[in-house]
Amino acid sequence: MGRIAQGTKVLAEGGYDRVFRQTFETVPEEQLLNAFACYLSTSAGPVMGVLYVSTAKLAYCSDNPLSYKIGSQTEWNYYQVVIPLRQLKAINPSASKVNPAEKYIQIISVDGHEFWFMGFLNYKGAITCLQEASQLHSTQSM
């Protein structure tokens, strides 16, 4: 059900490219390469959202805002992660040893932060796109 609602939202807002540009700071020459519905593993459990892959960055935004407390007040914000391609250290595909159908992608930044994404509808496509974006940046910085 969540994926249907997410797809409807994207269509209503003009497509993934438009949602990406409205949600994240971009530069004019930056191009969205692809967007992947997935989950981000967090200490509070998996969070459903979209992983955007552009010519400049990886960017994730949750589908719904998450609540957190500041004192006695509850605040709500979308969960977002932005990793410039120049800050990428590794993209590691993996699968559960217990259940090989459970596939993950670990993304590590140069400062040692790890992000685990899972539940991709198009796992192979996501890996290919992420690796191509990483290589694109590597060739641009030479």
XYZ file of all heavy atoms in Angstrom, residues 72-109:
310
model
N 9.407 18.084 25.939
C 8.085 17.447 26.001
C 7.313 17.598 24.688
O 6.188 17.129 24.568
C 7.269 18.054 27.149
O 7.068 19.436 26.892
N 7.932 18.243 23.716
C 7.259 18.515 22.439
C 7.645 17.490 21.378
O 8.806 17.116 21.251
C 7.639 19.907 21.949
C 6.685 20.440 20.928
C 6.522 21.942 21.074
O 7.181 22.559 21.897
N 5.644 22.501 20.286
N 6.660 17.046 20.604
C 6.910 16.118 19.501
C 7.071 16.908 18.215
O 6.230 17.739 17.877
C 5.740 15.111 19.351
O 5.610 14.386 20.573
C 5.994 14.143 18.215
N 8.178 16.661 17.521
C 8.452 17.301 16.231
C 8.368 16.244 15.139
O 8.549 15.054 15.393
C 9.859 17.925 16.234
C 10.067 18.995 17.271
C 9.402 20.305 16.927
O 9.259 20.599 15.720
O 9.028 21.040 17.852
N 8.129 16.668 13.919
C 8.038 15.765 12.767
C 8.916 16.295 11.645
O 8.867 17.475 11.313
C 6.594 15.684 12.259
C 5.673 15.048 13.250
C 5.043 15.652 14.304
C 5.278 13.682 13.286
N 4.288 14.741 14.991
C 4.404 13.521 14.386
C 5.585 12.571 12.498
C 3.838 12.294 14.707
C 5.008 11.357 12.812
C 4.152 11.227 13.911
N 9.744 15.419 11.071
C 10.588 15.779 9.932
C 10.790 14.570 9.046
O 10.777 13.436 9.520
C 11.968 16.262 10.391
C 12.032 17.758 10.557
O 11.402 18.495 9.814
N 12.794 18.206 11.528
N 11.025 14.837 7.772
C 11.392 13.764 6.852
C 12.827 13.340 7.153
O 13.669 14.175 7.494
C 11.273 14.222 5.394
C 9.830 14.334 4.951
C 9.139 15.532 5.089
C 9.167 13.242 4.422
C 7.810 15.635 4.716
C 7.834 13.336 4.036
C 7.162 14.535 4.187
O 5.859 14.624 3.825
N 13.090 12.057 7.046
C 14.437 11.520 7.268
C 15.192 11.664 5.958
O 14.768 11.132 4.934
C 14.329 10.049 7.678
C 15.564 9.493 8.324
C 15.647 9.367 9.700
C 16.654 9.090 7.561
C 16.786 8.846 10.316
C 17.789 8.571 8.161
C 17.850 8.456 9.533
O 18.976 7.945 10.118
N 16.305 12.389 5.972
C 17.071 12.618 4.751
C 18.546 12.300 4.964
O 19.087 12.529 6.036
C 16.941 14.073 4.290
C 15.551 14.432 3.841
C 15.485 15.839 3.277
O 16.400 16.638 3.408
N 14.377 16.144 2.629
N 19.147 11.770 3.906
C 20.582 11.508 3.864
C 21.084 12.039 2.532
O 20.479 11.768 1.495
C 20.882 9.991 3.956
C 22.363 9.725 3.753
C 20.400 9.415 5.274
N 22.182 12.793 2.542
C 22.807 13.280 1.311
C 24.294 12.960 1.371
O 24.972 13.313 2.339
C 22.598 14.805 1.126
C 23.323 15.300 -0.115
C 21.119 15.143 1.060
N 24.776 12.268 0.337
C 26.198 11.940 0.246
C 26.706 12.406 -1.113
O 26.335 11.831 -2.145
C 26.449 10.422 0.390
C 25.792 9.871 1.653
C 27.948 10.128 0.374
C 25.752 8.359 1.709
N 27.530 13.459 -1.143
C 28.125 13.858 -2.423
C 28.953 12.700 -2.983
O 29.595 11.967 -2.214
C 29.022 15.046 -2.042
C 28.472 15.543 -0.742
C 27.941 14.329 -0.042
N 28.947 12.527 -4.298
C 29.689 11.414 -4.902
C 31.170 11.457 -4.543
O 31.793 10.407 -4.375
C 29.509 11.410 -6.424
C 28.095 11.100 -6.933
C 28.071 11.118 -8.451
C 27.573 9.772 -6.401
N 31.723 12.644 -4.369
C 33.138 12.757 -4.012
C 33.404 12.225 -2.602
O 34.547 11.988 -2.230
C 33.629 14.194 -4.165
C 33.064 15.158 -3.148
C 33.567 16.588 -3.351
N 33.035 17.469 -2.345
C 31.808 17.988 -2.361
N 30.982 17.718 -3.356
N 31.401 18.773 -1.384
N 32.347 12.044 -1.797
C 32.475 11.535 -0.427
C 32.221 10.026 -0.331
O 32.251 9.459 0.754
C 31.494 12.264 0.495
C 31.776 13.739 0.648
C 33.059 13.998 1.418
O 33.340 13.360 2.420
N 33.863 14.929 0.928
N 31.972 9.374 -1.473
C 31.718 7.927 -1.471
C 33.012 7.146 -1.322
O 33.974 7.399 -2.040
C 31.062 7.496 -2.786
C 29.560 7.575 -2.891
C 29.118 7.075 -4.253
C 28.883 6.796 -1.809
N 33.014 6.197 -0.409
C 34.170 5.331 -0.246
C 33.883 3.949 -0.854
O 34.739 3.372 -1.515
C 34.516 5.183 1.230
C 35.714 4.296 1.500
C 36.011 4.239 2.983
C 37.209 3.355 3.254
N 37.465 3.265 4.699
N 32.666 3.417 -0.598
C 32.353 2.069 -1.083
C 30.858 1.872 -1.261
O 30.053 2.465 -0.544
C 32.897 1.031 -0.113
N 30.525 1.025 -2.229
C 29.160 0.553 -2.459
C 29.252 -0.965 -2.455
O 29.893 -1.546 -3.332
C 28.604 1.070 -3.800
C 28.544 2.601 -3.781
C 27.243 0.457 -4.087
C 28.351 3.226 -5.128
N 28.670 -1.583 -1.435
C 28.817 -3.024 -1.249
C 27.471 -3.744 -1.304
O 26.695 -3.658 -0.354
C 29.479 -3.318 0.107
C 30.841 -2.681 0.229
O 31.624 -2.696 -0.705
N 31.130 -2.105 1.388
N 27.208 -4.466 -2.389
C 25.998 -5.298 -2.419
C 26.192 -6.497 -1.492
O 27.303 -7.019 -1.368
C 25.900 -5.758 -3.871
C 27.041 -5.166 -4.603
C 27.944 -4.492 -3.634
N 25.132 -6.925 -0.820
C 25.224 -8.112 0.032
C 23.848 -8.745 0.185
O 22.838 -8.144 -0.162
C 25.803 -7.758 1.403
O 24.942 -6.890 2.101
N 23.854 -9.952 0.716
C 22.604 -10.676 0.945
C 22.685 -11.376 2.290
O 23.775 -11.697 2.775
C 22.356 -11.685 -0.170
N 21.542 -11.632 2.870
C 21.469 -12.353 4.135
C 21.941 -13.783 3.938
O 21.558 -14.443 2.970
C 20.023 -12.329 4.644
O 19.848 -13.258 5.679
N 22.766 -14.259 4.863
C 23.212 -15.657 4.795
C 22.060 -16.608 5.127
O 21.986 -17.710 4.604
C 24.387 -15.880 5.740
C 25.661 -15.215 5.263
C 26.811 -15.465 6.226
C 28.126 -14.998 5.667
N 28.386 -13.602 5.760
N 21.159 -16.175 6.000
C 20.019 -16.993 6.401
C 18.967 -17.034 5.302
O 18.405 -18.085 4.996
C 19.402 -16.457 7.715
C 18.152 -17.230 8.094
C 20.422 -16.479 8.833
N 18.690 -15.859 4.692
C 17.694 -15.771 3.630
C 18.294 -14.995 2.459
O 18.216 -13.766 2.423
C 16.420 -15.080 4.143
C 15.347 -14.999 3.089
O 15.513 -15.454 1.962
N 14.226 -14.397 3.440
N 18.908 -15.687 1.482
C 19.584 -15.010 0.366
C 18.679 -14.083 -0.464
O 19.172 -13.228 -1.182
C 20.106 -16.170 -0.488
C 20.153 -17.339 0.432
C 19.058 -17.132 1.436
N 17.362 -14.235 -0.337
C 16.451 -13.335 -1.058
C 16.458 -11.930 -0.450
O 16.070 -10.967 -1.107
C 15.032 -13.903 -1.050
N 16.900 -11.803 0.804
C 17.018 -10.495 1.450
C 18.330 -9.863 1.005
O 19.398 -10.280 1.430
C 17.005 -10.637 2.974
C 15.680 -11.025 3.543
C 15.721 -11.142 5.066
O 16.661 -10.619 5.703
O 14.806 -11.774 5.599
N 18.218 -8.862 0.138
C 19.413 -8.230 -0.428
C 19.545 -6.804 0.100
O 18.563 -6.109 0.286
C 19.331 -8.241 -1.944
C 19.296 -9.661 -2.512
C 19.303 -9.651 -4.020
C 19.179 -11.018 -4.607
N 20.239 -11.933 -4.317
N 20.783 -6.414 0.331
C 21.100 -5.111 0.905
C 22.153 -4.413 0.062
O 22.900 -5.057 -0.665
C 21.674 -5.269 2.325
C 20.800 -6.071 3.244
C 20.966 -7.449 3.356
C 19.816 -5.462 3.999
C 20.159 -8.196 4.207
C 19.009 -6.199 4.849
C 19.186 -7.566 4.943
O 18.391 -8.291 5.779
N 22.223 -3.102 0.216
C 23.329 -2.336 -0.347
C 23.885 -1.473 0.778
O 23.164 -0.656 1.358
C 22.887 -1.445 -1.535
C 22.303 -2.298 -2.666
C 24.079 -0.620 -2.036
C 21.727 -1.491 -3.816
N 25.152 -1.698 1.087
C 25.841 -0.899 2.095
C 26.585 0.213 1.371
O 27.332 -0.041 0.428
C 26.829 -1.772 2.873
C 27.645 -0.993 3.887
C 28.835 -1.792 4.399
O 29.488 -2.487 3.633
N 29.104 -1.676 5.690
N 26.369 1.436 1.822
C 27.082 2.584 1.262
C 27.915 3.193 2.382
O 27.392 3.480 3.467
C 26.103 3.615 0.665
C 25.361 2.977 -0.510
C 26.834 4.883 0.237
C 24.283 3.822 -1.110
N 29.212 3.358 2.117
C 30.128 3.901 3.117
C 30.713 5.204 2.584
O 31.178 5.263 1.447
C 31.272 2.903 3.429
C 30.701 1.554 3.865
C 32.199 3.474 4.500
C 31.756 0.462 4.018
N 30.681 6.231 3.424
C 31.264 7.525 3.045
C 32.725 7.561 3.498
O 33.155 6.759 4.334
C 30.474 8.671 3.690
O 30.571 8.602 5.094
